[in-house]
Amino acid sequence: MDQAIPKRRSGALGDALFRVAAFSAALLVLVLLGAIAISTLIGGYPTFAHFGFGFLSKAVWDPVRREFGALVPIYGTLVTALIALVLAVPVAFGIAVFLTEVAPRRLAVPTSAAIELLAGIPSIIYGMWGLFVFAPFMANTLDPWLSDTLGMVPGLAPLFSGPPLGLGMLTAGIILSIMIVPFIAAVMRDVFRLVPPALRESAFALGATRWEVVWHVALPYTRTAVWGAIFLGLGRALGETMAVTFVLGNSHDFNISLLAPSTSIAATIANEFTEADSPAYLSALIALGFILFVITFLVLLLAKLLLLRLAKQGAR
Amino acid sequence: MNLRKTHPRGRSRKRLNVIALGLATLATALGLVGLASILITTLLNGAAALRPSLFTELTPPPGAEGGLANALFGSLLLIFVAVVMGTPIGILAGTYLAEYNTYPKLVATVRFINDILLSAPSVVIGLFVYQVIVWPSGHFSGWAGAIALALILLPVVIRTTDETMQLIPLSLREAALALGAPKWRVITQVIYRAARAGILTGVLLGIARISGETAPLLFTALNNQYWSTDLSRPLANVPVVIFQFALSPYESWHGLAWAGALLLTLLVLVVSILARSLLREKAE
């Protein structure tokens, strides 16, 4: 008995120490998020204070005269992400339907694995492919074709005007879409698998085709989570740096044409950070980082809330 | 007589079904072809630039021939230090989420925020490390780069540890507790052992995630043209070399960038496949 008491005490001490260590590590996650927001806000503060709201609404970017307005990078970020979503969502939806409804297990498992593996390829590889393979293809083939077809449609013409350089928001948007397809497809596939079998089987018993089960049963049941998957992809596309930096052309001149060089928030930071030779320039770039962080945080927050909703519904 | 077969609406429904599912199959083929073409381009261009001098010579000055020895070493060092720093903290945090239930709201919040950090843009994490380490210290450094990578690895390890430990049956914990073991010994000696494969998978997935990260290293480790093992100075690394060389006008630099891209892709694929096979082993 006498020996058991100190032993138990050491257990209590060990328990307390381990608990505190684990607790601090978990708390670090929250601290980290706060610290990222605060540090970039502090770094960008001189810019926000000096330019005020004009930083968001002006399209001037003149490091020499130290005048900074982030309209072009913000616009470029939103437009490239939007192009990426418009192209990626139907393809990702198709892949998710294929994996859950069409493919036999023997085919679905390796296809799933391949798509997940490809999702892990570093974004700089997409960037290189974009620069050396895809941008020339755009310049020689797709850009001129678009100018000749859609560029002739009144109303759409300004979007597809200008010389075919192969660098610009359309090129970046297409590469981004290839990048986010696996992410969105994987989440959608997992979401579709949450549809209760009883629900699907009832629909089949009523004579519904597979497609009708997808469209009239699975999709309505998982609608919020499917939106969650889409917003998750949007979050990725907004913050992606390397895949777009190579092919955007890094131009701060505002141009409505999707074929003209532009820039995005992440690309501006990556391209110009090492060249930032004045505190004002550096602060402007960090301010851009803060804006990017806030935008992606809100988008990812929404995505997670939408995804959680289905998880809770399934648990009930 | 046989209404269902001849009813026009039934036929059009079936036709729609075939068309829609056909399009879904086509979408999968399209996605796989697009992704495979990126992979094949990298393999072909990278293989053309592969030669032994890659591993023995330093990154060359503009236009000259050379290798990637310093960048390869720097990358491995950065990844190693990031794993050593990030893994223990990640495992501890994951343990708290899975094992301690005193503050369920806190646990739910940390899980939620961790999932957001998992997808947060890495370029912003680089800026953060620049703000808190590079700027106060006055220079770019390998340490800053490793810390940035560790911060990107952290959420991956936390999530997989948390998920794996939640799958360990309660009876295992109860059996160990019934033998009189204090909770921390139950966790470190019983649960960790049972969750080993899952936690290792998390670390491997984390390595796959950080080995190609470029943007955060631009503001932290930067680059170094020379051989350096000093973490307190700028450190060469493959992703930043690829970035700088690919955007240069020199043919020889382009070749090295492709070679670096190939090595990077192979590393990521091998590590990911290893992680997946570990998971499958556990499932069987």
Side-chain angles (χ1 to χ4, degrees):
Chain A
M1 263 323 248
D2 279 321
Q3 274 175 337
I5 290 163
K7 239 190 188 170
R8 195 173 286 166
R9 216 177 274 151
S10 86
L13 181 66
D15 264 352
L17 284 177
F18 192 83
R19 189 194 177 85
V20 168
F23 180 73
S24 325
L27 219 52
L28 184 72
V29 172
L30 302 184
V31 173
L32 187 63
L33 186 87
I36 292 171
I38 292 168
S39 76
T40 47
L41 180 59
I42 292 175
Y45 181 75
T47 304
F48 292 125
H50 188 254
F51 297 102
F53 197 71
F55 184 66
L56 300 180
S57 62
K58 279 196 187 137
V60 229
W61 192 266
D62 190 341
V64 181
R65 287 181 22 232
R66 303 208 177 137
E67 280 210 41
F68 300 102
L71 186 65
V72 175
I74 293 175
Y75 178 74
T77 305
L78 297 179
V79 171
T80 48
L82 201 68
I83 295 173
L85 270 194
V86 168
L87 297 174
V89 168
V91 177
F93 175 70
I95 293 176
V97 170
F98 176 80
L99 290 177
T100 52
E101 296 291 340
V102 182
R105 225 187 103 74
R106 252 181 313 151
L107 194 63
V109 172
T111 312
S112 263
I115 284 172
E116 276 170 24
L117 276 184
L118 293 166
I121 293 180
S123 60
I124 189 161
I125 308 292
Y126 288 85
M128 277 195 80
W129 178 81
L131 180 67
F132 289 114
V133 180
F134 194 60
F137 166 75
M138 290 293 285
N140 298 329
T141 314
L142 198 56
D143 279 5
W145 183 76
L146 285 172
S147 295
D148 291 347
T149 52
L150 291 176
M152 295 297 148
V153 181
L156 285 179
L159 287 176
F160 299 98
S161 61
L165 299 170
L167 302 176
M169 290 188 283
L170 185 63
T171 310
I174 294 175
I175 292 174
L176 273 183
S177 77
I178 300 176
M179 253 195 93
I180 62 173
V181 157
F183 289 112
I184 305 181
V187 181
M188 277 192 188
R189 173 202 62 191
D190 292 345
V191 161
F192 284 161
R193 284 190 182 148
L194 291 177
V195 177
L199 214 56
R200 292 163 38 88
E201 280 156 20
S202 325
F204 281 127
L206 289 174
T209 62
R210 278 180 185 276
W211 171 248
E212 283 166 344
V213 170
V214 170
W215 195 249
H216 296 297
V217 178
L219 205 55
Y221 183 83
T222 55
R223 189 162 16 184
T224 53
V226 166
W227 277 109
I230 293 172
F231 276 96
L232 212 58
L234 179 62
R236 288 270 177 177
L238 288 168
E240 181 42 52
T241 312
M242 283 306 147
V244 296
T245 302
F246 283 108
V247 293
L248 263 173
N250 198 33
S251 160
H252 281 278
D253 299 327
F254 187 84
N255 197 328
I256 191 90
S257 171
L258 300 177
L259 310 183
S262 178
T263 190
S264 76
I265 297 179
T268 303
I269 301 172
N271 266 321
E272 302 179 21
F273 199 81
T274 43
E275 297 163 12
D277 46 8
S278 66
Y281 197 176
L282 202 59
S283 167
L285 292 174
I286 295 175
L288 277 182
F290 177 75
I291 294 171
L292 179 64
F293 183 69
V294 171
I295 297 175
T296 47
F297 179 78
L298 292 176
V299 168
L300 292 171
L301 189 77
L302 189 61
K304 281 285 150 197
L305 287 174
L306 289 169
L307 283 168
L308 268 183
R309 202 133 138 230
L310 182 72
K312 275 192 192 138
Q313 188 180 327
R316 231 181 277 139
Chain B
M1 282 247 263
N2 197 337
L3 271 177
R4 243 171 302 145
K5 264 192 185 154
T6 49
H7 198 284
R9 186 155 157 71
R11 226 180 297 145
S12 77
R13 280 176 51 213
K14 276 194 184 130
R15 202 179 304 138
L16 180 67
N17 181 49
V18 170
I19 293 172
L21 297 183
L23 283 176
T25 312
L26 198 69
T28 311
L30 187 74
L32 283 176
V33 165
L35 291 160
S37 80
I38 292 175
L39 209 57
I40 289 167
T41 314
T42 310
L43 287 178
L44 291 180
N45 285 297
L50 271 187
R51 50 184 66 89
S53 63
L54 276 181
F55 304 95
T56 54
E57 286 177 26
L58 301 185
T59 47
E65 298 286 327
L68 293 169
N70 48 342
L72 288 168
F73 174 80
S75 266
L76 290 179
L77 185 63
L78 284 175
I79 294 170
F80 175 75
V81 176
V83 169
V84 168
M85 286 193 294
T87 306
I89 302 176
I91 292 178
L92 272 176
T95 306
Y96 189 83
L97 299 183
E99 297 293 320
Y100 292 90
N101 215 2
T102 331
Y103 310 108
K105 281 216 167 118
L106 176 80
V107 167
T109 312
V110 171
R111 251 184 214 141
F112 191 83
I113 297 295
N114 189 63
D115 272 1
I116 287 185
L117 281 180
L118 209 58
S119 313
S122 58
V123 64
V124 178
I125 296 189
L127 283 182
F128 164 66
V129 175
Y130 175 86
Q131 279 286 96
V132 298
I133 295 173
V134 177
W135 191 70
S137 73
H139 57 86
F140 295 99
S141 70
W143 284 116
I147 289 171
L149 293 185
L151 293 180
I152 297 167
L153 173 101
L154 191 66
V156 184
V157 177
I158 292 179
R159 179 161 187 182
T160 35
T161 306
D162 179 20
E163 282 178 347
T164 316
M165 288 177 77
Q166 282 185 50
L167 291 178
I168 309 282
L170 202 59
S171 55
L172 207 64
R173 293 183 182 90
E174 286 167 346
L177 284 170
L179 290 173
K183 183 162 184 166
W184 73 280
R185 305 205 78 161
V186 175
I187 292 173
T188 51
Q189 294 185 338
V190 180
I191 316 259
Y192 280 167
R193 204 166 290 186
R196 200 168 36 193
I199 295 175
L200 189 60
T201 306
V203 176
L204 287 175
L205 289 176
I207 293 176
R209 174 80 199 275
I210 60 173
S211 31
E213 279 295 348
T214 316
L217 295 178
L218 279 172
F219 326 133
T220 51
L222 200 62
N223 199 355
N224 191 336
Q225 207 187 319
Y226 306 103
W227 180 265
S228 172
T229 57
D230 186 356
L231 279 167
S232 60
R233 310 187 58 86
L235 194 67
N237 57 83
V238 176
V240 173
V241 167
I242 295 178
F243 178 62
Q244 291 178 345
F245 282 17
L247 282 174
S248 78
Y250 312 109
E251 265 319 300
S252 68
W253 275 17
H254 289 174
L256 285 172
W258 278 118
L262 173 66
L263 295 174
L264 207 60
T265 308
L266 288 180
L267 173 72
V268 170
L269 286 181
V270 167
V271 172
S272 314
I273 290 170
L274 213 62
R276 291 187 70 88
S277 65
L278 257 178
L279 265 188
R280 199 169 315 129
E281 217 168 86
K282 205 187 61 177
E284 273 161 10

